[in-house]
Amino acid sequence: MSSQTHADAEDTISYFFFTVLGDEQLLRQMSLEVLAFSEYLVHFGAHSYLKALLRYSAVFGGTKSFRQ
């Protein structure tokens, strides 16, 4: 997720250009892409957290087996 700081700067520059050009379609497309990427990061983070929680519970909870 460290690359997100660079992507934010790129999105800001793109936003300024699209606003100056007055292209509402490009602004909408850019906002949908940013939203989709944010959703991806949230889902990936939740997946990783739950996977780690499952492994933690297998080690410290006394569970005999778990799926990886």
Side-chain angles (χ1 to χ4, degrees):
M1 289 207 269
S2 65
S3 68
Q4 185 59 28
T5 56
H6 302 290
D8 285 344
E10 181 182 345
D11 289 342
T12 302
I13 291 169
S14 295
Y15 174 79
F16 286 140
F17 280 125
F18 297 154
T19 301
V20 169
L21 293 173
D23 195 334
E24 293 294 323
Q25 184 178 359
L26 284 175
L27 281 170
R28 179 166 165 64
Q29 181 64 33
M30 185 184 74
S31 66
L32 291 174
E33 289 173 4
V34 169
L35 180 61
F37 186 67
S38 296
E39 288 176 356
Y40 164 75
L41 289 178
V42 168
H43 290 143
F44 186 76
H47 173 78
S48 298
Y49 175 78
L50 292 173
K51 193 173 176 181
L53 185 62
L54 182 62
R55 290 182 178 186
Y56 180 86
S57 67
V59 171
F60 295 105
T63 305
K64 298 288 184 207
S65 66
F66 61 94
R67 295 185 328 179
Q68 294 183 350

